[in-house]
Amino acid sequence: MKDIRQITTEALKKVKDSDALTLESIKAEYLGKDGVLTQILKSLSSYSIEDKKRIGSEANNAKSIIVAEIKNKKESLKKFLFNEKMRNEKFDYSESFYFPFSKGSFHPVIQMINDITAVFKSLGFSVAEGPEVETDWYNFEALNIPDSHPARDMQNTFYVEGMKALLRTHTSPGQIRAMEKHKPPIKVIVPGKVYRNEASDAMHFSTFHQVEGLAVDENITFVDLMTLLSDFVHKLFGSDTNIRFRPSHFQFTEPSAEVDMQCIFCKGKGRCRLCKSSSWIEILGCGMVHPNVLKAVHYDSRKYTGYAFGLGVERLTMFKYGIDDIRLFYENDLRFLKQF
Ligand code: PHE
């Protein structure tokens, strides 16, 4: 009988020099049914008890060493073959293949934000973003809405317990953040998500989107605001779409107005499901920046004036596509979303 140590050395050398094809036959040669080590283990019964013990343990030892080495070799061969494949593989850009998933699309509200942003960019505005979790200061105080002012009732929200933090009720805190960062002249829009604690119906939901706008410089007047908003609506909905200003009140603008846009479906002819035959649809709030707001960010309110506006994105999107329930935007029903 061959020396087990010799057998082991020989087997390990063969394993070392093997390739993917020969590795299996080496395994069979030593460990298979008629393998060298298997034979030795089978013949143990013919030895004395002492030899049985010694040879048995040596053979089992050799077996596990060889098994481990075969395993290692397999791993390194796998790695080698993979690297080799990567080295030789060429990507054929001209090859067409079947992609089993259909292409997604932007959510209609995001599409609308992108369209609105593109129009304001073309009118010289830059784009900024602000946090959705705001402090009381940015959402209310700096906007001339002091603690316990009745104007807060209109914008009840979700508060973070124990902190003066809340989910922003409008994008107007973006005005304050923009003015803190930059000196006038300033022309910026701030699109984003806002939250209100209110019961939902076809026109209201606790989460929606706004696009805030702000311009501050010397000699800015209400006429600049009117011109800008009518340019905006013309660019987005066509030059035959009229807008109108209605007096309103916001704590952070003076004077303030709400803007309605003529119904693009009935063009003011009435008997319309979308505008409920009123011919006009409210799209935003706006006004001249209140001097107290300018003071809050340490702007010289005698030198500078400005205008601000806040657009409701869902409203415009519903209007554009004739959607009559805001809740459809948030149900994630693919039958609805695939239409855009
Ligand atoms: N923040 C106001 C709202 O959400 C809209 C607004 C913005 C009004 C800017 C005036 C100026 O109702």
Side-chain angles (χ1 to χ4, degrees):
M1 189 182 78
K2 263 189 177 171
D3 184 315
I4 293 180
R5 246 185 299 157
Q6 212 180 325
I7 294 173
T8 314
T9 322
E10 186 189 286
L12 292 182
K13 186 170 181 318
K14 281 189 187 167
V15 170
K16 188 166 165 253
D17 298 337
S18 69
D19 56 29
L21 289 175
T22 50
L23 190 62
E24 281 308 309
S25 59
I26 295 166
K27 191 176 172 186
E29 185 184 338
Y30 289 91
L31 311 168
K33 228 170 43 186
D34 299 316
V36 184
L37 283 171
T38 321
Q39 292 295 346
I40 292 175
L41 287 164
K42 269 187 191 163
S43 63
L44 283 181
S45 53
S46 55
Y47 293 104
S48 66
I49 294 186
E50 225 132 85
D51 282 350
K52 238 188 234 169
K53 264 193 190 163
R54 184 180 51 80
I55 298 170
S57 98
E58 268 180 39
N60 276 324
N61 209 12
K63 205 171 149 181
S64 45
I65 292 173
I66 296 168
V67 166
E69 201 51 35
I70 288 176
K71 201 170 153 229
N72 283 344
K73 181 72 186 184
K74 247 191 202 154
E75 283 302 310
S76 65
L77 276 174
K78 231 202 249 166
K79 256 189 225 155
F80 173 78
L81 289 175
F82 177 76
N83 289 339
E84 198 65 358
K85 193 166 169 235
M86 294 308 278
R87 234 193 316 274
N88 295 330
E89 203 153 87
K90 288 192 184 68
F91 187 74
D92 181 359
Y93 292 93
S94 66
E95 191 181 2
S96 59
F97 60 94
Y98 172 65
F99 190 62
F101 306 106
S102 59
K103 239 170 130 187
S105 62
F106 282 117
H107 188 280
V109 168
I110 301 299
Q111 274 181 47
M112 183 49 97
I113 290 181
N114 290 345
D115 291 350
I116 294 171
T117 304
V119 171
F120 280 116
K121 271 187 170 171
S122 77
L123 294 168
F125 283 76
S126 54
V127 185
E129 275 182 327
E132 288 172 21
V133 178
E134 263 300 2
T135 62
D136 194 85
W137 164 257
Y138 285 106
N139 198 80
F140 293 125
E141 292 271 345
L143 289 162
N144 197 31
I145 313 175
D147 206 4
S148 69
H149 191 282
R152 290 200 179 202
D153 294 346
M154 303 267 294
Q155 300 197 357
N156 189 14
T157 183
F158 305 94
Y159 288 86
V160 182
E161 222 176 283
M163 282 198 268
K164 274 215 149 190
L166 46 88
L167 293 184
R168 66 178 176 192
T169 56
H170 48 181
T171 40
S172 301
Q175 291 182 33
I176 307 297
R177 289 184 179 274
M179 288 190 280
E180 276 180 349
K181 241 192 220 156
H182 305 281
K183 295 215 155 16
I186 203 171
K187 249 180 126 177
V188 66
I189 58 162
V190 189
K193 209 179 269 170
V194 300
Y195 304 85
R196 296 210 187 155
N197 183 6
E198 58 186 7
S200 56
D201 58 28
M203 290 307 282
H204 301 89
F205 199 70
S206 55
T207 305
F208 56 102
H209 295 75
Q210 290 187 333
V211 174
E212 192 79 9
L214 172 78
V216 183
D217 201 351
E218 291 177 42
N219 303 317
I220 288 196
T221 69
F222 203 90
V223 175
D224 295 316
L225 172 62
M226 294 177 99
T227 316
L228 172 88
L229 292 177
S230 100
D231 280 354
F232 162 72
V233 169
H234 290 165
K235 284 198 172 211
L236 202 61
F237 290 104
S239 54
D240 57 345
T241 315
N242 292 321
I243 56 171
R244 72 177 183 191
F245 285 71
R246 275 182 294 108
S248 186
H249 174 81
F250 297 103
Q251 277 293 110
F252 35 96
T253 47
E254 184 59 35
S256 303
E258 269 161 329
V259 172
D260 300 332
M261 176 176 121
Q262 208 169 32
C263 178
I264 49 169
F265 287 94
C266 69
K267 290 284 176 210
K269 297 205 177 66
R271 280 202 150 268
C272 173
R273 182 179 61 90
L274 207 73
C275 66
K276 301 201 180 69
S277 304
S278 74
S279 311
W280 296 94
I281 292 182
E282 184 195 319
I283 56 167
L284 61 89
C286 63
M288 300 304 290
V289 180
H290 195 291
N292 285 355
V293 175
L294 296 174
K295 279 178 203 151
V297 293
H298 310 295
Y299 276 12
D300 184 347
S301 62
R302 283 160 309 177
K303 189 172 171 198
Y304 296 110
T305 52
Y307 59 72
F309 56 88
L311 268 165
V313 181
E314 275 79 355
R315 244 160 199 255
L316 278 182
T317 318
M318 289 166 80
F319 192 38
K320 180 172 173 185
Y321 298 111
I323 297 162
D324 57 9
D325 196 323
I326 192 172
R327 291 167 291 197
L328 286 165
F329 289 132
Y330 304 107
E331 284 170 356
N332 281 335
D333 187 334
L334 284 178
R335 287 168 303 178
F336 171 73
L337 293 172
K338 273 185 175 164
Q339 297 175 58
F340 304 97

